[in-house]
Amino acid sequence: MKRIFSGIQPSGGFTLGNYLGAIKNWVALQKDFECIYCIVDLHAITMFQKPDELRANSRLGAATLIAAGIDHKKHKIMLQSMVPAHAQLAWVFNCVARVGWMNRMTQFKDKAGKDRDSASLGLYAYPSLMAADILVYKATHVPVGEDQKQHLELTRDIAQKFNHDYGLDFFPLTEPLIFGEATRVMSLRDGSKKMSKSDPSDFSRINLTDSAEQIADKIRKAKTDPHAVPDAPPASEEVRAQRPEAYNLMGIYAALADTTMAAVAKEHGGKQFSAFKNALTELAVAKLGPITSEMRRLEKDPGAVDAVLRDGSERCRAMADPILEEVYRIVGFLKP
Ligand code: TYM
């Protein structure tokens, strides 16, 4: 039986990258599997967050998932800080994971920048908490965008070392689920950079809160090259790197239209980018517009959104607490 877990940080707005790389796949997976989707506020404070903004963004995160079509009654939408077992298991994992493993994490290097000494200790230990999020439910599959792959490999290493150290087959070795045509959505201004909520330029990304006019404006100004729309998907990473912006827009189109890059290339290959951008704008507004307006509606009812998080978190505590209790017994803590 597959158990799905995934998380998203409430450290700002949510982007088209979050939607196509993760949330859209989360919606699809709930048809066949038991799913837990978590707003990871403990992860968000690894970089300073203004308290009121963090609260607002946690609600916005939950509203986004509901608006995108996650069934919060059948599945769970929960807030990380409402289930203490995540942080408790993370401590145990801090003692299982090795400093050398953390030193290899590229996301830490990217986020800490040049001045690593002044990054928070939490930012450094971040992947250990992520492993705890997943394994506190013994989740087997984790749908994410490509940028989280390394963290999921570390999650397997932690599970394996824990099992080995205590001589048990306790934690599953989690599989990443990275699928769709937009597992790595790039910036609209620079096809070599990931689309990210932390990019200083708002024109680099489409936010899930953007209006139709903003979406149109951003797609119109998106960087392209002087050539026509490619007539085939990139045959290799080298080919993609020659026209990163062009293939990025094709991938976004394919993912939004629930089709393949090959089909998009067949339909639009050879056209001028100005025409393709008009089609992409129309598609993006048609697909994102309903989600944005449902988010806006939910934003006006924060009590209802909080109730969803409390209910999901309560049901998650009932799942996580017995697993944590078992871990505490395994490592040798006395029963309280
Ligand atoms: P976060 O909040 O950065 O992103 C949430 C999800 O969105 C995906 N994503 C993208 N996919 C494609 N293209 C992009 N440009 C893009 N930007 C973001 C991410 O891959 C992710 O799936 N560490 C995680 C949150 C987390 C988590 C977990 C995930 C905490 N605990 C346990 C899975 C399991 C993060 O910062 O995601």
Side-chain angles (χ1 to χ4, degrees):
M1 176 64 189
K2 281 189 194 169
R3 181 177 284 173
I4 306 282
F5 180 95
S6 202
I8 187 164
Q9 286 198 64
S11 53
F14 302 95
T15 70
L16 183 66
N18 294 132
Y19 180 64
L20 295 179
I23 300 171
K24 188 169 177 291
N25 293 345
W26 300 358
V27 174
L29 286 162
Q30 59 179 347
K31 272 206 307 297
D32 297 314
F33 306 108
E34 173 191 11
C35 303
I36 303 170
Y37 297 125
C38 181
I39 310 299
V40 295
D41 53 352
L42 301 182
H43 277 112
I45 64 161
T46 57
M47 313 276 263
F48 181 77
Q49 306 292 322
K50 291 188 183 136
D52 285 337
E53 285 180 13
L54 180 59
R55 270 184 284 272
N57 284 328
S58 293
R59 287 191 179 113
L60 183 66
T64 305
L65 300 191
I66 300 167
I70 303 291
D71 181 343
H72 61 87
K73 292 203 175 97
K74 196 160 164 221
H75 300 278
K76 296 171 190 80
I77 297 178
M78 47 93 55
L79 189 64
Q80 196 182 25
S81 61
M82 287 187 185
V83 183
H86 290 233
Q88 290 169 300
L89 182 60
W91 179 259
V92 175
F93 285 172
N94 284 344
C95 303
V96 173
R98 306 289 93 183
V99 169
W101 300 357
M102 296 294 164
N103 286 341
R104 286 195 286 276
M105 295 295 115
T106 56
Q107 186 171 299
F108 174 74
K109 291 178 198 166
D110 291 347
K111 286 202 177 175
K114 286 200 185 74
D115 190 9
R116 274 193 218 172
D117 282 0
S118 52
S120 74
L121 186 54
L123 188 67
Y124 188 65
Y126 179 115
S128 169
L129 175 59
M130 191 165 149
D133 295 336
I134 298 164
L135 293 174
V136 83
Y137 303 102
K138 294 194 177 180
T140 57
H141 291 77
V142 182
V144 286
E146 226 171 81
D147 60 334
Q148 296 300 316
K149 205 170 157 191
Q150 194 186 31
H151 289 158
L152 294 182
E153 283 160 10
L154 186 94
T155 300
R156 290 168 71 93
D157 290 340
I158 291 178
Q160 213 152 19
K161 186 166 178 356
F162 180 94
N163 289 348
H164 177 266
D165 287 353
Y166 295 98
L168 295 163
D169 187 15
F170 187 74
F171 286 120
L173 299 186
T174 305
E175 298 280 347
L177 294 176
I178 301 174
F179 61 97
E181 292 284 358
T183 56
R184 188 171 170 79
V185 178
M186 308 310 274
S187 155
L188 300 179
R189 308 299 282 173
D190 176 351
S192 68
K193 281 198 334 208
K194 187 180 82 166
M195 182 182 285
S196 156
K197 49 194 149 203
S198 57
D199 193 299
S201 164
D202 197 52
F203 274 92
S204 70
R205 64 182 158 260
I206 291 173
N207 305 299
L208 296 183
T209 45
D210 284 347
S211 65
E213 292 69 35
Q214 284 171 310
I215 293 175
D217 204 22
K218 288 176 179 180
I219 293 178
R220 194 166 43 243
K221 295 203 171 95
K223 188 177 168 197
T224 45
D225 54 39
H227 308 292
V229 175
D231 55 12
S236 66
E237 281 310 309
E238 289 70 41
V239 174
R240 184 190 294 267
Q242 285 160 14
R243 301 188 64 192
E245 289 85 11
Y247 290 119
N248 187 41
L249 294 184
M250 272 179 83
I252 291 174
Y253 191 104
L256 280 171
D258 277 312
T259 182
T260 59
M261 274 176 88
V264 177
K266 205 164 161 210
E267 191 182 341
H268 297 280
K271 283 187 192 163
Q272 289 305 306
F273 260 100
S274 51
F276 181 64
K277 281 177 167 184
N278 289 338
L280 179 58
T281 299
E282 210 173 291
L283 176 66
V285 169
K287 294 285 179 173
L288 303 179
I291 300 177
T292 308
S293 46
E294 179 62 6
M295 271 163 65
R296 294 282 184 227
R297 193 187 67 74
L298 288 164
E299 250 182 332
K300 292 193 196 106
D301 194 357
V305 174
D306 288 6
V308 167
L309 284 171
R310 289 202 191 96
D311 167 63
S313 301
E314 188 181 326
R315 288 184 288 133
C316 281
R317 283 199 296 274
M319 290 170 75
D321 287 351
I323 295 176
L324 181 77
E325 213 174 284
E326 186 70 357
V327 171
Y328 272 23
R329 189 190 61 72
I330 290 169
V331 303
F333 298 160
L334 286 171
K335 218 174 156 60

